[in-house]
Amino acid sequence: MIKYFYIKEGRVLRLKDSIQKENYKIMVVDDEQGIIDSLSIFLNKYEITGFTNPLDAIEALKKEHFDLLLLDFLMMPLHGDQVVEEIRKFNTELYILLLTGHKDLAPPLETIKRLDIQGYCEKSDKFDQLLLLIESGLKSVEQMKTIKEVNSKLEIAYSDLADAYRGIVESLRLAVDAKDSYTKNHSDRVAYYSVLIGKKLGLSDEDLHTLHDGALFHDIGKIGIPDAILRKPGKLTDEEYDDIKNHPSIGAKIITPAKIFTNIIPIVKHHHERFDGKGYPSSLAGKDIPLLSRIVCVADSFDAMTSDRSYRPRFTLYKALEELENCKGIQFDPDVVDAFILAIKENMGQIEEDLSIDLLQRKTDNIVSLF
C-alpha cells in the first residue's frame, strides 16, 4: 500500500511505496483531485503522475516520457479531445485512454479515430474495466518498446535487423495463434488463401509477397487483447467487443517502427473494413479500402467460417462459399469473392494437400459438385 504522497501545484507526487513498482509511467489528468487520488491508490503498482490542469499536463508531456495517459473528457479550460489535439502535434505514439463521467457525453467515434485515442472508459466506483483497458494498453506499449529497442540496436546492420525483427514479429504471431487452440495455424491459412486470390486477380510477384506477409501478420495486434476475451466461449459484451476491435490498430502500431513492414501496415490496419463502410477501425468503404486488405478480409472470413470455434462448429465448404456470395457488395468486394470462389473450384485438391485439411468434410457430408 502507498505510505506517502503529496500534492503540489495540481501535481501528485509519490514519495515512498511499500510495494515494488512495475516500470511504467502513467499520467492521470482530471480536474477532480479525488479522482486522481483514487486512481493513484488503485494503480499503486505503477508510477503515477497526476494533473488537475490540462495545460500543465501538456507541458509535462513535452519534457517527460510517459507510457500511458488517462485523460478526463470534460475539463476546463480544455476538454479531453482538445488536449489530445495538442498532444498529437508533438507526440503521435502516446497511448491514450479517455475517461468520461457520462457515457452519452463521450466524444463521437469519428473524433476518437481521428485523434488515435485507443479507448475510453466510463467513470465508476469500480475500476475493473479501467484496469483491463490499462493492462491491455501496457501490453501494447511493451511490445512496441521491445521492437524499438531491437530496431535501434541493429540499425547499423540492416540485413541483420530485418531478420531479427521479422523473427520477433513471427514469434508474436505464433504467440497469438497459441492463445487459442481453436485458431491454431489460422494466419498461415489466411496467407495461403490470400495468395490464391491474388494470383487469380493477376497481382505482381511483389504484390503477392506483400500480400502474403500482410496476411501472415494480420492478427498480430491480438497480442494486446486479454486472453479472457479471446478465449471467451460465449457472446462478448459491448465493452469486450470494443477491445477486440482495437487489434488492427494495435497491430499497425507494433509493426510501424520497422521499415521492412511498411508495405503491410495497410493490410494489418484495414483487414476488418467492410465494403459498405461499416467496418473498423477507419470505416473505409468500397475501393477506398486497399485492395490487399480487401483480399485478406475475404480469406480471413472464409478461414474463420471453415474452422471450429469454441462457440460453434465449422461451416461446410458450401455454406461458407454461400455466405461469401450473399455478402458480396456488403461486407466483401464482389470481384475478390468471385476470384476466390473460382480459385477454390480450380484448386480444391491442391488446397487440401497443401494445408492438410478436408474442406469437403467427406466423412460427414455428401459431396456435391462445385461446378
Side-chain angles (χ1 to χ4, degrees):
M1 298 298 294
I2 298 177
K3 286 187 176 179
Y4 309 107
F5 67 87
Y6 70 92
I7 301 165
K8 181 179 181 182
E9 296 177 352
R11 178 169 179 159
V12 175
L13 300 176
R14 281 204 183 169
L15 296 181
K16 187 176 181 182
D17 292 351
S18 61
I19 63 171
Q20 185 175 358
K21 293 193 175 47
E22 293 190 14
N23 191 28
Y24 293 111
K25 295 177 66 176
I26 298 176
M27 178 184 286
V28 181
V29 183
D30 196 301
D31 56 5
E32 294 184 41
Q33 188 62 59
I35 296 293
I36 296 177
D37 294 344
S38 296
L39 287 174
S40 296
I41 296 171
F42 182 71
L43 301 173
N44 64 349
K45 68 178 179 179
Y46 305 116
E47 182 179 340
I48 305 296
T49 301
F51 290 92
T52 55
N53 188 323
L55 296 177
D56 292 341
I58 292 171
E59 290 306 309
L61 284 168
K62 290 179 180 179
K63 302 172 184 177
E64 192 175 349
H65 169 78
F66 288 88
D67 297 295
L68 188 144
L69 171 64
L70 296 178
L71 179 64
D72 187 24
F73 178 52
L74 294 179
M75 293 184 297
M76 294 298 289
L78 297 178
H79 282 185
D81 55 339
Q82 295 172 305
V83 175
V84 178
E85 192 94 50
E86 292 301 311
I87 292 173
R88 290 307 185 210
K89 291 178 181 178
F90 62 87
N91 188 331
T92 59
E93 296 184 354
L94 180 63
Y95 201 101
I96 300 175
L97 295 176
L98 208 59
L99 302 179
T100 174
H102 305 280
K103 191 172 184 179
D104 55 342
L105 295 179
L109 187 58
E110 293 72 19
T111 299
I112 290 176
K113 291 178 180 178
R114 179 175 59 83
L115 297 177
D116 198 17
I117 297 171
Q118 279 71 26
Y120 67 87
C121 180
E122 192 172 359
K123 293 179 184 178
S124 69
D125 295 333
K126 296 181 179 179
F127 292 118
D128 293 349
Q129 182 185 354
L130 178 59
L131 182 60
L132 187 65
L133 289 173
I134 290 172
E135 290 180 345
S136 296
L138 291 177
K139 275 187 180 182
S140 177
V141 168
E142 184 62 30
Q143 297 301 332
M144 287 186 281
K145 270 187 180 179
T146 302
I147 291 171
K148 285 180 180 179
E149 288 172 3
V150 173
N151 195 8
S152 62
K153 289 178 182 178
L154 300 180
E155 195 171 16
I156 58 174
Y158 182 78
S159 60
D160 290 343
L161 166 65
D163 291 342
Y165 199 100
R166 187 182 180 88
I168 289 173
V169 178
E170 175 69 10
S171 297
L172 294 179
R173 177 185 74 85
L174 295 175
V176 170
D177 273 5
K179 277 181 170 233
D180 187 352
S181 61
Y182 288 97
T183 59
K184 185 178 181 182
N185 300 325
H186 166 70
S187 53
D188 294 285
R189 293 192 298 271
V190 172
Y192 182 95
Y193 293 135
S194 296
V195 171
L196 203 64
I197 297 170
K199 288 180 178 179
K200 182 54 64 177
L201 291 172
L203 297 186
S204 66
D205 288 344
E206 182 179 357
D207 284 342
L208 288 174
H209 178 76
T210 300
L211 177 62
H212 177 270
D213 281 359
L216 203 59
F217 299 125
H218 74 285
D219 272 344
I220 192 72
K222 286 185 177 178
I223 197 73
I225 306 301
D227 292 355
I229 294 178
L230 290 178
R231 294 175 177 174
K232 185 175 179 178
K235 184 178 179 181
L236 298 177
T237 65
D238 290 342
E239 290 79 9
E240 290 168 338
Y241 186 53
D242 285 340
D243 275 349
I244 287 288
K245 290 195 293 185
N246 280 331
H247 81 267
S249 296
I250 293 173
K253 283 182 176 291
I254 287 174
I255 63 175
T256 292
K259 293 181 179 178
I260 59 171
F261 287 133
T262 298
N263 291 340
I264 73 169
I265 292 173
I267 298 175
V268 173
K269 186 171 183 178
H270 298 300
H271 70 277
H272 277 295
E273 306 288 355
R274 288 171 52 112
F275 205 70
D276 61 5
K278 296 180 180 180
Y280 58 86
S282 302
S283 300
L284 301 180
K287 303 299 181 180
D288 288 338
I289 305 170
L291 174 59
L292 303 190
S293 301
R294 283 178 266 148
I295 291 173
V296 173
C297 177
V298 171
D300 184 28
S301 298
F302 176 78
D303 188 67
M305 288 188 286
T306 54
S307 300
D308 288 319
R309 293 297 170 95
S310 58
Y311 51 88
R312 61 148 177 83
R314 60 176 170 157
F315 288 8
T316 65
L317 173 64
Y318 307 108
K319 184 176 180 181
L321 295 181
E322 182 181 36
E323 189 68 18
L324 293 180
E325 187 74 39
N326 290 339
C327 292
K328 287 198 308 186
I330 302 172
Q331 183 174 354
F332 309 118
D333 181 337
D335 295 335
V336 174
V337 171
D338 290 343
F340 184 47
I341 292 176
L342 186 58
I344 289 287
K345 291 178 179 180
E346 293 175 351
N347 298 276
M348 176 67 65
Q350 189 63 49
I351 293 171
E352 293 183 321
E353 181 179 341
D354 290 343
L355 298 182
S356 300
I357 59 175
D358 184 0
L359 281 175
L360 288 172
Q361 298 175 260
R362 291 172 176 82
K363 294 181 180 179
T364 58
D365 295 342
N366 293 322
I367 299 177
V368 180
S369 175
L370 287 171
F371 300 94

